[in-house]
Structures are given as structure tokens and as C-alpha cells.
Amino acid sequence: MHRYEVLIIGSGLAGMTLALHLADTKKVALVTKCELSDGSSNWAQGGIAAVLDNHDSIESHIQDTLVAGAGITDPQTTRFIVENAKSAIDWLIELGVPFTRDEQHETGFHLTREGGHSHRRIIHAADATGEAVVSTLASKVRAHPNIQLLEHRIAIDLITARKLGQQENRCLGAYVFDKSTDKVETMVADHVVLATGGAGKVYLYTTNPDIATGDGIAMGWRAGCRVANMEFIQFHPTCLYHPHAKSFLITEAVRGEGGILRLPDGTRFMPDHDSRAELAPRDIVARAIDFEMKKHGVDCVYLDISYKPAKFITEHFPNIYQRCLELGIDITREPIPVVPAAHYTCGGLVTDLQGRTDLANLYAIGEVAYTGLHGANRLASNSLLECMVLGRAAAAEILASQPAATCAVPEWDESRVTDPDEEIVISHNWDELRRFMWDYVGIVRTNKRLERAQHRIKLLTDEIDDYYSNFRVGNDLIELRNLVQTADLIVRCAQARHESRGLHFSRDYPTPVEPSGPTILTPEL
């Protein structure tokens, strides 16, 4: 039994931001599935959106976010996050994040532009912003005496008062599997925070790391929290297409700096789909690529920035240049083969602007949460911004609140289970789930495809629940259980939306319906 003041599950930018804002006055435990820096935040290439110069405005950033969100972005949330953006960036600069400099610019930093933005407002560290930010924060986290880092651990489920027979429900802690010892630890805390990221691994092709398995969304749902907008899965238009390149993203900034999308024969096609061409929002670009690939029967399209000077390319995109070169692609001389891939979960656990969920003492921040910022489609580079602004807001709320009285929590009980007889059940179901989600619940959907997916999810759920009830837990089983739960929420939200809007495109309901709003699901407890 371990007791903490604050238990943070997840160590990406949201989790580390929260931990550092709490640690001067609170004892914090930071639980992470692998190493500290292995989350999706570390993979982010493009940058962080914020109004930083006099050529831009708060109102412009808000408007761009609302337009990208396709009419169902929450205006109050958007204003709160955009207005707090500059102070979040200033905090990172104070911590020493090495953003790319430009002494000719009034800010002293180079600002780039990405799809959906009307101004250059993306501050970045070359083409590896996430790595620069995460490595800087990680060094602070490791050095802070009040932060206990618990690596190679995965949360199984939240402990709630209702599960213990109490009428007033609240979160008491979590059961956590230690992968190094194969033992389950009981962690009790005054405040529990989910910062577990998204669910990209529910799809066959994704830009996300292997750990993005929807854990926090699934745990929060099982504990009694509402979820919203799970149908809006953002497919990044440009993931490197190569047999030896796993989940390697080609940042949107390549298009922002002039990259052109072409068919294999060199034909440019984006102007035929949208007047903004390559700078259209991600949902439009991803659907256009999907359409052209299906129309012409090709495996990929090509992103071409080779017409720019070689020095420009290697200075702006050094990591992309080097990685492609390792695979035999010289992007200063030839185009980059790309395909869309699942990238970002716009929905999640419903929270307020302090990160509070429906369950007392439980918070959710970052990609695991639905705040209303992203609406039906996330505007590029707003995600890292949301992590920081809401991480700081949740910290202020936790510091201002009084911890509830403690109560007895039972240890994890595995007295009635045995070791698994065979692991093939898990690996087979994992592969089946990701394939049918890609085929049936991908970029373009139909009622029939969603019904087929729902039928298979029901079969998988029954099989996994039986397995979970009879055998000792392990990392793969925990992740698969969460993936299937998350897949079910995606399908249910998609079936509830009888229109096409933003990232959700249905051939059966091809036009938007007004008025519209978020899709909210409430669990039956």
C-alpha cells in the first residue's frame, strides 16, 4: 500500500507540467508505462501555437481554432487556453527549452505556420519540438526531491468509493501493475490525475508510440466519468510510407513552408479539393489523400519540398532529412512518400477548465481529456498548448482544495486467478481489433461498417472479460482491455452522429446538420 498527496498517471507534457507546478508544496508520484520520456509528447515535431508578436492577435488564434473545430468548439475554453498561451511559452523559455532562434524577428524566435493558421505563430525547436520540451522538463522532474518517478508501471483501474460500497462516489487511488516485478501495487492518493494521452494504437496505422492505448479514457469511463466526441479521431495526412519506417511523422510544417502534395506522376491535387490547398486543415487534407489513393489505386502520395534550397531544408527539418536519408530518400532532391495515419484523439473524458472530471478527486489533462478546445478537428499545434495551460490550471485547483478524509482501501486480490494458459488470445485479438477499426471506422465511414465493427467489438469484449476474470493480469492484457473499451466508445459516438462534420465523415450522412454540438456518452453504473 502506497500513499501520496497527488498521483499522476502519465508522464507526457501534461503530466510533467502538472508535477512541476505542484512539487514545491506537494508530494507527487508520477507513474509512467515505460521511461519518463517515451510518450506521444516526445514525438511531436511541429511546435506550439501561441500569439507572440504584434502581427498576430488573440482573436485571430481563437477564430482559427473555431474554424478548424467545424462549429462545435467551445468558445469559452478556446479563449481561456489561447489567452494563457504566451505565459505558458514564457515558462518553457525560463526553463531553458531551446526553441529555434531568429534574431531578425521581434520575439527573437523563428515562428512557422501550419495548416489552418492565418498567421505564423508556431514556436518550435527545429522539427523536434516535443523532444526539446520533454527532455528539458524531464531533467527538472528527475531532479526534484518532491517528485517520485515510478517507471515501467501501468495502471489497471481506478479505485473508487462506490466500488467499495460507499454512497458518495470519489476517486481514492489506483491499482498499478509493476512490469519489472509482475506485481500489482495499491496506490492511494488525495488527488488522482489521468494524463495518459490518446488511443492511436486502436488503429492499424498510427503516428503514435506503442503506449497510446486509451488507458485513461477506458479507466475513467469504467469509474463513472462521461466521455465526449470520441468519433473525432484526427488522421495526420502525412506519415512516412516506407516498410522500415514505423510511425514516422512528416510534420505539418513541411507543408507550412511550401511542401506540395503530388500523385506518383507528379500531378498536384490539393487545389482541386480546397482553396487553401496544402494549408487546409488536417481533416480535409487527409480525406483528399485518401480519395486520391482510392481513385488512382496507389499505395501512397508524395510530399515535395525538394524545389527549395537544400540548405533551407536541412536547417528547418534536420531530423526528417536525416531519417529519410537513412532510408534512401534525399528530400532535397526527391519527394517524400506519405500516407494518412491515426494521429490524435480529439475526444476524451469530459472535464472543466481546471481539469476536474465527473468523479470527485479525479482530474484529466492533455489528450485523455475533452475540454471542448478541439471540437470536430484539432487545429495544428494546439495540443501541446492545451497540455501546459490545463496542467497549470489543474495544479492551481489541486493546491486550493482540501483533501477528503481517507478510508480503508483493499489490496489487489488475485487469489482466484491463475497464470494465463496461452498468450495467443491476446496477440490475435490485438491484431484483429486494429485491422477492423482501420477498415470500418477510419477516415470514411458508413452505417454498415460501424455495425460490423460494433459486432466484432462485442465478441472481443466478451472474450477479453472472460480472460481478465480468470488469469493474472499483464501489460498486454491491460492494454488490450483498454483498447477494446476505447474502440467501443469511438464506434458508439460515431453511430450517434448523423451528419458529417470535421474528422467524422459518413457516406450515409454526407452533410452537416445545424445546430450541432458535442457527442456525450454517460456510463451506466
Side-chain angles (χ1 to χ4, degrees), residues 28-193:
V28 177
L30 189 61
V31 172
T32 184
K33 287 168 75 169
C34 294
E35 302 288 332
L36 176 59
S37 303
D38 284 343
S40 294
S41 298
N42 194 55
W43 291 37
Q45 294 177 350
I48 306 171
V51 176
L52 300 174
D53 66 23
N54 293 324
H55 302 288
D56 199 359
S57 70
I58 296 291
E59 297 305 322
S60 177
H61 189 178
I62 290 172
Q63 186 60 29
D64 289 347
T65 302
L66 297 178
V67 169
I72 59 169
T73 300
D74 185 280
Q76 180 184 358
T77 297
T78 303
R79 180 169 294 278
F80 176 77
I81 292 174
V82 170
E83 287 181 344
N84 284 280
K86 187 179 185 302
S87 60
I89 299 298
D90 290 342
W91 180 67
L92 291 180
I93 294 171
E94 288 172 13
L95 291 180
V97 174
F99 290 117
T100 298
R101 307 289 304 194
D102 180 358
E103 301 306 330
Q104 303 302 314
H105 194 272
E106 64 182 83
T107 63
F109 296 98
H110 182 266
L111 303 180
T112 191
R113 182 181 173 190
E114 295 181 347
H117 288 275
S118 57
H119 293 81
R120 284 182 171 266
R121 64 167 69 98
I122 316 300
I123 190 169
H124 61 102
D127 59 348
T129 306
E131 183 180 4
V133 172
V134 166
S135 61
T136 302
L137 267 60
S139 65
K140 306 293 184 185
V141 166
R142 290 187 185 278
H144 205 293
N146 277 354
I147 300 176
Q148 182 178 357
L149 179 59
L150 303 170
E151 295 176 310
H152 302 288
R153 289 170 170 84
I154 178 172
I156 303 170
D157 255 329
L158 298 171
I159 305 169
T160 66
R162 180 170 290 150
K163 290 178 182 176
L164 301 182
Q166 299 181 20
Q167 281 193 325
E168 184 182 357
N169 200 19
R170 57 191 171 98
C171 187
L172 305 172
Y175 292 115
V176 177
F177 179 73
D178 185 339
K179 293 191 274 187
S180 62
T181 64
D182 287 342
K183 299 295 183 184
V184 177
E185 300 173 313
T186 305
M187 298 185 180
V188 180
D190 297 329
H191 307 278
V192 179
V193 185

Side-chain angles (χ1 to χ4, degrees), residues 169-236:
N169 200 19
R170 57 191 171 98
C171 187
L172 305 172
Y175 292 115
V176 177
F177 179 73
D178 185 339
K179 293 191 274 187
S180 62
T181 64
D182 287 342
K183 299 295 183 184
V184 177
E185 300 173 313
T186 305
M187 298 185 180
V188 180
D190 297 329
H191 307 278
V192 179
V193 185
L194 296 171
T196 53
K201 292 299 286 188
V202 79
Y203 287 99
L204 185 60
Y205 301 110
T206 177
T207 64
N208 292 180
D210 289 341
I211 59 176
T213 51
D215 302 326
I217 296 169
M219 285 191 293
W221 172 260
R222 290 194 294 264
C225 299
R226 291 172 299 156
V227 301
N229 281 15
M230 289 299 294
E231 71 271 37
F232 297 119
I233 302 294
Q234 187 176 74
F235 288 81
H236 198 288

Side-chain angles (χ1 to χ4, degrees), residues 15 56 72 95 104 118 184 189-190 217 230 247 272 276-277 290 304 310 344 360-361 402 425 439 453 506 508 514 518:
D56 199 359
I72 59 169
L95 291 180
Q104 303 302 314
S118 57
V184 177
D190 297 329
I217 296 169
M230 289 299 294
S247 306
D272 295 335
R276 292 164 290 187
D290 183 69
D304 186 11
Y344 191 85
N361 301 344
Q402 294 295 319
V425 174
D439 290 338
S506 170
D508 295 298
E514 304 297 347

Side-chain angles (χ1 to χ4, degrees), residues 268-338:
R268 187 183 185 189
F269 59 85
M270 274 311 302
D272 295 335
H273 293 269
D274 192 279
S275 61
R276 292 164 290 187
E278 281 78 11
L279 289 177
R282 289 175 177 174
D283 60 323
I284 295 172
V285 179
R287 273 199 303 277
I289 294 173
D290 183 69
F291 174 85
E292 296 292 343
M293 287 171 59
K294 288 182 168 68
K295 177 182 176 182
H296 296 281
V298 296
D299 294 329
C300 66
V301 297
Y302 292 85
L303 181 58
D304 186 11
I305 198 168
S306 63
Y307 69 93
K308 292 272 191 178
K311 183 180 179 183
F312 175 90
I313 295 170
T314 55
E315 286 182 352
H316 280 75
F317 309 110
N319 293 287
I320 293 174
Y321 171 75
Q322 187 59 44
R323 179 60 176 142
C324 288
L325 201 61
E326 292 169 1
L327 298 168
I329 304 166
D330 184 350
I331 69 172
T332 66
R333 297 175 178 270
E334 58 190 318
I336 308 165
V338 294

